[in-house]
mmCIF file of all heavy atoms in Angstrom:
data_model
loop_
_atom_site.group_PDB
_atom_site.id
_atom_site.type_symbol
_atom_site.label_atom_id
_atom_site.label_comp_id
_atom_site.label_asym_id
_atom_site.label_seq_id
_atom_site.Cartn_x
_atom_site.Cartn_y
_atom_site.Cartn_z
ATOM 1 N N LEU A 230 20.076 9.745 14.652
ATOM 2 C CA LEU A 230 19.465 10.489 13.560
ATOM 3 C C LEU A 230 18.069 9.913 13.235
ATOM 4 O O LEU A 230 17.107 10.622 12.979
ATOM 5 C CB LEU A 230 20.381 10.408 12.308
ATOM 6 C CG LEU A 230 19.886 11.120 11.087
ATOM 7 C CD1 LEU A 230 19.567 12.638 11.345
ATOM 8 C CD2 LEU A 230 20.879 11.032 9.911
ATOM 9 N N ARG A 231 17.989 8.580 13.328
ATOM 10 C CA ARG A 231 16.707 7.947 12.958
ATOM 11 C C ARG A 231 15.639 8.354 13.899
ATOM 12 O O ARG A 231 14.494 8.604 13.536
ATOM 13 C CB ARG A 231 16.880 6.447 12.854
ATOM 14 C CG ARG A 231 15.664 5.743 12.194
ATOM 15 C CD ARG A 231 15.898 4.330 11.743
ATOM 16 N NE ARG A 231 14.804 3.860 10.910
ATOM 17 C CZ ARG A 231 13.705 3.310 11.376
ATOM 18 N NH1 ARG A 231 13.566 3.086 12.627
ATOM 19 N NH2 ARG A 231 12.784 2.931 10.524
ATOM 20 N N SER A 232 15.966 8.404 15.210
ATOM 21 C CA SER A 232 14.970 8.787 16.234
ATOM 22 C C SER A 232 14.517 10.254 16.037
ATOM 23 O O SER A 232 13.351 10.573 16.248
ATOM 24 C CB SER A 232 15.466 8.586 17.654
ATOM 25 O OG SER A 232 15.686 7.228 17.837
ATOM 26 N N ALA A 233 15.449 11.049 15.586
ATOM 27 C CA ALA A 233 15.105 12.496 15.377
ATOM 28 C C ALA A 233 14.147 12.618 14.200
ATOM 29 O O ALA A 233 13.318 13.492 14.143
ATOM 30 C CB ALA A 233 16.364 13.331 15.133
ATOM 31 N N LEU A 234 14.335 11.772 13.200
ATOM 32 C CA LEU A 234 13.481 11.840 11.979
ATOM 33 C C LEU A 234 12.150 11.037 12.112
ATOM 34 O O LEU A 234 11.144 11.394 11.559
ATOM 35 C CB LEU A 234 14.236 11.328 10.764
ATOM 36 C CG LEU A 234 15.495 12.096 10.359
ATOM 37 C CD1 LEU A 234 16.218 11.318 9.220
ATOM 38 C CD2 LEU A 234 15.102 13.472 9.849
ATOM 39 N N MET A 235 12.272 9.945 12.852
ATOM 40 C CA MET A 235 11.173 8.979 12.899
ATOM 41 C C MET A 235 10.935 8.548 14.328
ATOM 42 O O MET A 235 11.660 7.709 14.873
ATOM 43 C CB MET A 235 11.463 7.760 12.039
ATOM 44 C CG MET A 235 11.795 8.116 10.591
ATOM 45 S SD MET A 235 12.314 6.689 9.652
ATOM 46 C CE MET A 235 10.728 5.801 9.422
ATOM 47 N N PRO A 236 9.854 9.074 14.968
ATOM 48 C CA PRO A 236 9.594 8.714 16.403
ATOM 49 C C PRO A 236 9.487 7.235 16.647
ATOM 50 O O PRO A 236 9.836 6.783 17.746
ATOM 51 C CB PRO A 236 8.271 9.440 16.680
ATOM 52 C CG PRO A 236 8.248 10.561 15.709
ATOM 53 C CD PRO A 236 8.964 10.118 14.470
ATOM 54 N N VAL A 237 9.090 6.444 15.608
ATOM 55 C CA VAL A 237 8.949 5.002 15.826
ATOM 56 C C VAL A 237 10.225 4.368 16.223
ATOM 57 O O VAL A 237 10.280 3.353 16.939
ATOM 58 C CB VAL A 237 8.392 4.327 14.528
ATOM 59 C CG1 VAL A 237 9.441 4.349 13.406
ATOM 60 C CG2 VAL A 237 8.011 2.861 14.793
ATOM 61 N N ASN A 238 11.383 4.987 15.917
ATOM 62 C CA ASN A 238 12.684 4.452 16.256
ATOM 63 C C ASN A 238 12.929 4.405 17.753
ATOM 64 O O ASN A 238 13.698 3.624 18.229
ATOM 65 C CB ASN A 238 13.803 5.154 15.494
ATOM 66 C CG ASN A 238 15.092 4.385 15.575
ATOM 67 O OD1 ASN A 238 15.134 3.328 14.893
ATOM 68 N ND2 ASN A 238 16.087 4.827 16.309
ATOM 69 N N SER A 239 12.251 5.280 18.481
ATOM 70 C CA SER A 239 12.411 5.265 19.921
ATOM 71 C C SER A 239 11.829 3.988 20.550
ATOM 72 O O SER A 239 12.168 3.558 21.629
ATOM 73 C CB SER A 239 11.825 6.498 20.558
ATOM 74 O OG SER A 239 12.246 7.635 19.898
ATOM 75 N N ALA A 240 10.784 3.470 19.895
ATOM 76 C CA ALA A 240 10.127 2.251 20.364
ATOM 77 C C ALA A 240 10.895 1.045 19.872
ATOM 78 O O ALA A 240 11.109 0.054 20.613
ATOM 79 C CB ALA A 240 8.718 2.196 19.964
ATOM 80 N N PHE A 241 11.270 1.055 18.573
ATOM 81 C CA PHE A 241 11.932 -0.128 17.981
ATOM 82 C C PHE A 241 13.164 0.349 17.312
ATOM 83 O O PHE A 241 13.114 0.999 16.227
ATOM 84 C CB PHE A 241 11.030 -0.826 17.008
ATOM 85 C CG PHE A 241 9.660 -1.106 17.530
ATOM 86 C CD1 PHE A 241 8.520 -0.424 17.065
ATOM 87 C CD2 PHE A 241 9.456 -2.019 18.551
ATOM 88 C CE1 PHE A 241 7.285 -0.656 17.562
ATOM 89 C CE2 PHE A 241 8.171 -2.241 19.081
ATOM 90 C CZ PHE A 241 7.110 -1.548 18.573
ATOM 91 N N ASN A 242 14.322 0.061 17.928
ATOM 92 C CA ASN A 242 15.564 0.699 17.419
ATOM 93 C C ASN A 242 16.076 -0.029 16.133
ATOM 94 O O ASN A 242 15.539 -1.087 15.687
ATOM 95 C CB ASN A 242 16.632 0.756 18.473
ATOM 96 C CG ASN A 242 17.100 -0.620 18.909
ATOM 97 O OD1 ASN A 242 16.847 -1.646 18.228
ATOM 98 N ND2 ASN A 242 17.718 -0.660 20.113
ATOM 99 N N LEU A 243 17.111 0.522 15.551
ATOM 100 C CA LEU A 243 17.681 0.080 14.293
ATOM 101 C C LEU A 243 18.088 -1.443 14.419
ATOM 102 O O LEU A 243 17.819 -2.212 13.500
ATOM 103 C CB LEU A 243 18.917 0.838 13.950
ATOM 104 C CG LEU A 243 18.768 1.925 12.873
ATOM 105 C CD1 LEU A 243 20.077 2.618 12.647
ATOM 106 C CD2 LEU A 243 18.298 1.283 11.583
ATOM 107 N N LYS A 244 18.711 -1.788 15.517
ATOM 108 C CA LYS A 244 19.206 -3.172 15.595
ATOM 109 C C LYS A 244 18.067 -4.161 15.579
ATOM 110 O O LYS A 244 18.143 -5.169 14.789
ATOM 111 C CB LYS A 244 19.981 -3.305 16.938
ATOM 112 C CG LYS A 244 20.790 -4.530 17.024
ATOM 113 C CD LYS A 244 21.689 -4.518 18.228
ATOM 114 C CE LYS A 244 22.248 -5.890 18.469
ATOM 115 N NZ LYS A 244 22.405 -6.253 19.852
ATOM 116 N N SER A 245 16.993 -3.876 16.245
ATOM 117 C CA SER A 245 15.875 -4.811 16.249
ATOM 118 C C SER A 245 15.185 -4.764 14.923
ATOM 119 O O SER A 245 14.660 -5.813 14.419
ATOM 120 C CB SER A 245 14.910 -4.453 17.404
ATOM 121 O OG SER A 245 14.237 -3.230 17.166
ATOM 122 N N LEU A 246 15.144 -3.632 14.260
ATOM 123 C CA LEU A 246 14.531 -3.528 12.952
ATOM 124 C C LEU A 246 15.258 -4.318 11.917
ATOM 125 O O LEU A 246 14.706 -5.039 11.096
ATOM 126 C CB LEU A 246 14.422 -2.026 12.539
ATOM 127 C CG LEU A 246 13.807 -1.727 11.129
ATOM 128 C CD1 LEU A 246 12.382 -2.338 11.065
ATOM 129 C CD2 LEU A 246 13.776 -0.226 10.936
ATOM 130 N N LEU A 247 16.609 -4.149 11.896
ATOM 131 C CA LEU A 247 17.390 -4.858 10.913
ATOM 132 C C LEU A 247 17.339 -6.371 11.148
ATOM 133 O O LEU A 247 17.332 -7.178 10.184
ATOM 134 C CB LEU A 247 18.836 -4.379 10.977
ATOM 135 C CG LEU A 247 19.067 -2.925 10.452
ATOM 136 C CD1 LEU A 247 20.477 -2.470 10.746
ATOM 137 C CD2 LEU A 247 18.712 -2.810 8.970
#
Side-chain angles (χ1 to χ4, degrees):
L230 181 56
R231 192 163 192 272
S232 295
L234 296 172
M235 304 175 73
V237 67
N238 195 68
S239 308
F241 310 112
N242 66 17
L243 259 180
K244 194 170 166 215
S245 68
L246 178 56
L247 292 171

